Amino acid sequence: TLKPSLLEKIEDLFPDADLDPYTAAGPLDATVSETLMSTIPARLVGPGVAFTGLADARRSVMGVLTLAWIVAITVLAVAGIGVRNLVALTNRRLQFAYAVTHELRTPLTTFRLYSDMLAAGLVPDDSKQEYLDTLNRESMRLSSLVQGVLEYARLENQKVRLNPVNVDAPSLMGAISQTLNGLCEKSHVKPNTENAVSDQVAIRTDLDLLNQIAGVLVDNAVRHATGSDDAAVSVRLSGDNGRLQMDVVDTGPGVSNSDTRNIFKPFRRGRDAEAGAQRGIGLGLALARNWAILLGGRLDLVAAHDPKLGGAHFRLSIPSTLHT
């Protein structure tokens, strides 16, 4: 019934075509699927009616569209990462500006006030030395701040050159002990040192960088140990499989769980440090970790609360022989 009317509609395109019933079961191949009607079980056959490759073309188009979507999603992902990095960089710069401005404000205010008072003759003779000592202390603080910022810039620009020298464990421990004793004496903190490295072990490393790392860790430990019960800082040297390890532990409050992830990030200061008005711009540990990497090692927070002393436990691990 339908055949004559259907063939009449395509007579101008396929004058000799015919419409045959099609009831085969199972999957269709491409040649059948393209000539089979969608709602009537019949197939168009005859001269001029041939497989046109529409199925392959459809698959090809789908492949192109899929590839285009993958490329688009990849571009968007890369753009998102770029935007995120830009936002992170902007936040770091804002943190830097805030930290430096905050640290500069106090010593500069002290400088201006004390210098004005000294220049105007408002300071009694017996108090002038105290004022001068304060100005000297604040100038050293400013110098340390500027030095830290410049050193961080050098690390960011990869302009630090290593200068490895040969040193033995007793000499290294002696230099660290000198720094430790000086800082502990000022803050009334008990220093403890232990050297478990044999005198015969040859150590070749950049002594200046190693001393700077030790200085950062010791200064950080002393500041946080100050005011604690039986305030003490322990420094231990040890060796393990061709590596030199330095452990620094204090009796301070330790590191809170919220700060463990960010403690080595630049311009980040712990919440406890901020609450206790601890000085600094949060560059010390970031610099120390980067210096450790330059020495082929690593700096880690072993324990936020040391089981024995209660404070933070940091460990520096570097190769005993530095290859440049």
Side-chain angles (χ1 to χ4, degrees), residues 282-306:
L283 265 183
L285 290 175
L287 284 173
R289 169 165 277 190
N290 285 329
W291 286 330
I293 294 173
L294 283 176
L295 294 178
R298 55 184 299 165
L299 176 62
D300 298 301
L301 176 65
V302 176
H305 302 279
D306 184 73

mmCIF file of all heavy atoms in Angstrom, residues 282-306:
data_model
loop_
_atom_site.group_PDB
_atom_site.id
_atom_site.type_symbol
_atom_site.label_atom_id
_atom_site.label_comp_id
_atom_site.label_asym_id
_atom_site.label_seq_id
_atom_site.Cartn_x
_atom_site.Cartn_y
_atom_site.Cartn_z
ATOM 1 N N GLY A 282 58.514 35.747 57.959
ATOM 2 C CA GLY A 282 58.190 34.412 57.494
ATOM 3 C C GLY A 282 59.039 33.942 56.334
ATOM 4 O O GLY A 282 58.557 33.195 55.483
ATOM 5 N N LEU A 283 60.303 34.366 56.289
ATOM 6 C CA LEU A 283 61.197 33.964 55.206
ATOM 7 C C LEU A 283 62.238 32.945 55.649
ATOM 8 O O LEU A 283 62.823 32.259 54.811
ATOM 9 C CB LEU A 283 61.926 35.187 54.625
ATOM 10 C CG LEU A 283 61.312 35.843 53.397
ATOM 11 C CD1 LEU A 283 62.190 36.981 52.905
ATOM 12 C CD2 LEU A 283 61.103 34.838 52.282
ATOM 13 N N GLY A 284 62.498 32.852 56.944
ATOM 14 C CA GLY A 284 63.605 32.044 57.440
ATOM 15 C C GLY A 284 63.550 30.596 57.009
ATOM 16 O O GLY A 284 64.482 30.073 56.393
ATOM 17 N N LEU A 285 62.452 29.906 57.313
ATOM 18 C CA LEU A 285 62.346 28.488 56.988
ATOM 19 C C LEU A 285 62.246 28.256 55.479
ATOM 20 O O LEU A 285 62.728 27.242 54.972
ATOM 21 C CB LEU A 285 61.137 27.874 57.689
ATOM 22 C CG LEU A 285 61.265 27.728 59.215
ATOM 23 C CD1 LEU A 285 59.969 27.216 59.823
ATOM 24 C CD2 LEU A 285 62.421 26.794 59.570
ATOM 25 N N ALA A 286 61.618 29.189 54.763
ATOM 26 C CA ALA A 286 61.559 29.063 53.306
ATOM 27 C C ALA A 286 62.960 29.148 52.704
ATOM 28 O O ALA A 286 63.319 28.374 51.808
ATOM 29 C CB ALA A 286 60.662 30.152 52.718
ATOM 30 N N LEU A 287 63.764 30.100 53.198
ATOM 31 C CA LEU A 287 65.146 30.207 52.736
ATOM 32 C C LEU A 287 65.936 28.954 53.100
ATOM 33 O O LEU A 287 66.698 28.420 52.274
ATOM 34 C CB LEU A 287 65.810 31.440 53.360
ATOM 35 C CG LEU A 287 65.428 32.803 52.773
ATOM 36 C CD1 LEU A 287 66.022 33.913 53.615
ATOM 37 C CD2 LEU A 287 65.917 32.923 51.335
ATOM 38 N N ALA A 288 65.775 28.485 54.332
ATOM 39 C CA ALA A 288 66.526 27.315 54.791
ATOM 40 C C ALA A 288 66.213 26.088 53.944
ATOM 41 O O ALA A 288 67.115 25.316 53.590
ATOM 42 C CB ALA A 288 66.215 27.043 56.264
ATOM 43 N N ARG A 289 64.941 25.883 53.600
ATOM 44 C CA ARG A 289 64.593 24.724 52.767
ATOM 45 C C ARG A 289 65.198 24.851 51.366
ATOM 46 O O ARG A 289 65.695 23.867 50.803
ATOM 47 C CB ARG A 289 63.082 24.571 52.691
ATOM 48 C CG ARG A 289 62.638 23.557 51.638
ATOM 49 C CD ARG A 289 61.205 23.129 51.803
ATOM 50 N NE ARG A 289 61.070 22.061 52.796
ATOM 51 C CZ ARG A 289 59.944 21.382 52.991
ATOM 52 N NH1 ARG A 289 58.863 21.670 52.291
ATOM 53 N NH2 ARG A 289 59.882 20.419 53.894
ATOM 54 N N ASN A 290 65.154 26.044 50.780
ATOM 55 C CA ASN A 290 65.746 26.228 49.454
ATOM 56 C C ASN A 290 67.259 26.042 49.486
ATOM 57 O O ASN A 290 67.843 25.488 48.546
ATOM 58 C CB ASN A 290 65.396 27.615 48.913
ATOM 59 C CG ASN A 290 63.954 27.706 48.446
ATOM 60 O OD1 ASN A 290 63.388 26.725 47.988
ATOM 61 N ND2 ASN A 290 63.356 28.876 48.561
ATOM 62 N N TRP A 291 67.896 26.491 50.561
ATOM 63 C CA TRP A 291 69.346 26.277 50.694
ATOM 64 C C TRP A 291 69.633 24.780 50.806
ATOM 65 O O TRP A 291 70.618 24.290 50.233
ATOM 66 C CB TRP A 291 69.863 27.011 51.921
ATOM 67 C CG TRP A 291 69.960 28.492 51.759
ATOM 68 C CD1 TRP A 291 70.191 29.168 50.600
ATOM 69 C CD2 TRP A 291 69.825 29.483 52.777
ATOM 70 N NE1 TRP A 291 70.204 30.528 50.835
ATOM 71 C CE2 TRP A 291 69.987 30.746 52.159
ATOM 72 C CE3 TRP A 291 69.585 29.444 54.150
ATOM 73 C CZ2 TRP A 291 69.921 31.946 52.876
ATOM 74 C CZ3 TRP A 291 69.521 30.623 54.862
ATOM 75 C CH2 TRP A 291 69.694 31.860 54.225
ATOM 76 N N ALA A 292 68.804 24.062 51.542
ATOM 77 C CA ALA A 292 69.001 22.615 51.687
ATOM 78 C C ALA A 292 68.896 21.917 50.339
ATOM 79 O O ALA A 292 69.669 21.002 50.031
ATOM 80 C CB ALA A 292 67.971 22.045 52.667
ATOM 81 N N ILE A 293 67.951 22.356 49.508
ATOM 82 C CA ILE A 293 67.806 21.774 48.173
ATOM 83 C C ILE A 293 69.042 22.056 47.332
ATOM 84 O O ILE A 293 69.512 21.193 46.576
ATOM 85 C CB ILE A 293 66.534 22.322 47.492
ATOM 86 C CG1 ILE A 293 65.285 21.834 48.243
ATOM 87 C CG2 ILE A 293 66.471 21.893 46.033
ATOM 88 C CD1 ILE A 293 64.000 22.452 47.744
ATOM 89 N N LEU A 294 69.595 23.261 47.455
ATOM 90 C CA LEU A 294 70.818 23.596 46.720
ATOM 91 C C LEU A 294 71.975 22.686 47.135
ATOM 92 O O LEU A 294 72.848 22.365 46.312
ATOM 93 C CB LEU A 294 71.207 25.054 46.972
ATOM 94 C CG LEU A 294 70.406 26.125 46.217
ATOM 95 C CD1 LEU A 294 70.839 27.510 46.652
ATOM 96 C CD2 LEU A 294 70.570 25.966 44.715
ATOM 97 N N LEU A 295 71.967 22.259 48.384
ATOM 98 C CA LEU A 295 73.023 21.369 48.879
ATOM 99 C C LEU A 295 72.722 19.908 48.560
ATOM 100 O O LEU A 295 73.442 19.014 49.023
ATOM 101 C CB LEU A 295 73.189 21.545 50.393
ATOM 102 C CG LEU A 295 73.714 22.910 50.856
ATOM 103 C CD1 LEU A 295 73.794 22.961 52.387
ATOM 104 C CD2 LEU A 295 75.077 23.214 50.251
ATOM 105 N N GLY A 296 71.681 19.663 47.788
ATOM 106 C CA GLY A 296 71.334 18.297 47.419
ATOM 107 C C GLY A 296 70.594 17.544 48.502
ATOM 108 O O GLY A 296 70.515 16.309 48.468
ATOM 109 N N GLY A 297 70.037 18.251 49.459
ATOM 110 C CA GLY A 297 69.353 17.596 50.576
ATOM 111 C C GLY A 297 67.940 18.084 50.750
ATOM 112 O O GLY A 297 67.302 18.558 49.815
ATOM 113 N N ARG A 298 67.463 17.998 51.970
ATOM 114 C CA ARG A 298 66.100 18.406 52.276
ATOM 115 C C ARG A 298 66.000 18.833 53.736
ATOM 116 O O ARG A 298 66.803 18.426 54.577
ATOM 117 C CB ARG A 298 65.113 17.280 51.994
ATOM 118 C CG ARG A 298 65.419 15.972 52.692
ATOM 119 C CD ARG A 298 64.460 14.885 52.274
ATOM 120 N NE ARG A 298 63.077 15.241 52.622
ATOM 121 C CZ ARG A 298 62.026 14.606 52.124
ATOM 122 N NH1 ARG A 298 62.196 13.628 51.254
ATOM 123 N NH2 ARG A 298 60.808 14.956 52.498
ATOM 124 N N LEU A 299 65.013 19.649 53.995
ATOM 125 C CA LEU A 299 64.727 20.106 55.353
ATOM 126 C C LEU A 299 63.287 19.762 55.655
ATOM 127 O O LEU A 299 62.380 20.146 54.917
ATOM 128 C CB LEU A 299 64.958 21.616 55.470
ATOM 129 C CG LEU A 299 64.613 22.262 56.809
ATOM 130 C CD1 LEU A 299 65.476 21.683 57.930
ATOM 131 C CD2 LEU A 299 64.788 23.776 56.745
ATOM 132 N N ASP A 300 63.050 19.026 56.750
ATOM 133 C CA ASP A 300 61.711 18.557 57.072
ATOM 134 C C ASP A 300 61.353 18.862 58.525
ATOM 135 O O ASP A 300 62.232 18.990 59.388
ATOM 136 C CB ASP A 300 61.599 17.041 56.855
ATOM 137 C CG ASP A 300 61.841 16.640 55.412
ATOM 138 O OD1 ASP A 300 61.100 17.118 54.550
ATOM 139 O OD2 ASP A 300 62.780 15.865 55.164
ATOM 140 N N LEU A 301 60.061 18.963 58.737
ATOM 141 C CA LEU A 301 59.525 19.022 60.093
ATOM 142 C C LEU A 301 59.252 17.585 60.517
ATOM 143 O O LEU A 301 58.282 16.970 60.087
ATOM 144 C CB LEU A 301 58.250 19.861 60.135
ATOM 145 C CG LEU A 301 57.526 19.922 61.489
ATOM 146 C CD1 LEU A 301 58.383 20.631 62.526
ATOM 147 C CD2 LEU A 301 56.174 20.621 61.335
ATOM 148 N N VAL A 302 60.131 17.030 61.340
ATOM 149 C CA VAL A 302 60.010 15.634 61.755
ATOM 150 C C VAL A 302 58.832 15.458 62.696
ATOM 151 O O VAL A 302 58.069 14.491 62.598
ATOM 152 C CB VAL A 302 61.314 15.156 62.420
ATOM 153 C CG1 VAL A 302 61.160 13.730 62.939
ATOM 154 C CG2 VAL A 302 62.472 15.245 61.437
ATOM 155 N N ALA A 303 58.681 16.374 63.642
ATOM 156 C CA ALA A 303 57.583 16.279 64.618
ATOM 157 C C ALA A 303 57.125 17.677 64.984
ATOM 158 O O ALA A 303 57.953 18.548 65.274
ATOM 159 C CB ALA A 303 58.027 15.512 65.861
ATOM 160 N N ALA A 304 55.814 17.883 64.955
ATOM 161 C CA ALA A 304 55.272 19.171 65.379
ATOM 162 C C ALA A 304 55.409 19.347 66.886
ATOM 163 O O ALA A 304 55.547 20.468 67.389
ATOM 164 C CB ALA A 304 53.811 19.290 64.954
ATOM 165 N N HIS A 305 55.381 18.215 67.615
ATOM 166 C CA HIS A 305 55.562 18.220 69.066
ATOM 167 C C HIS A 305 56.473 17.041 69.411
ATOM 168 O O HIS A 305 56.011 15.885 69.433
ATOM 169 C CB HIS A 305 54.218 18.104 69.787
ATOM 170 C CG HIS A 305 53.240 19.189 69.436
ATOM 171 N ND1 HIS A 305 53.286 20.440 69.996
ATOM 172 C CD2 HIS A 305 52.219 19.197 68.539
ATOM 173 C CE1 HIS A 305 52.316 21.180 69.481
ATOM 174 N NE2 HIS A 305 51.650 20.453 68.601
ATOM 175 N N ASP A 306 57.720 17.330 69.666
ATOM 176 C CA ASP A 306 58.677 16.270 69.952
ATOM 177 C C ASP A 306 58.277 15.506 71.216
ATOM 178 O O ASP A 306 57.922 16.122 72.236
ATOM 179 C CB ASP A 306 60.068 16.879 70.136
ATOM 180 C CG ASP A 306 61.132 15.825 70.347
ATOM 181 O OD1 ASP A 306 61.476 15.131 69.367
ATOM 182 O OD2 ASP A 306 61.608 15.699 71.480
#
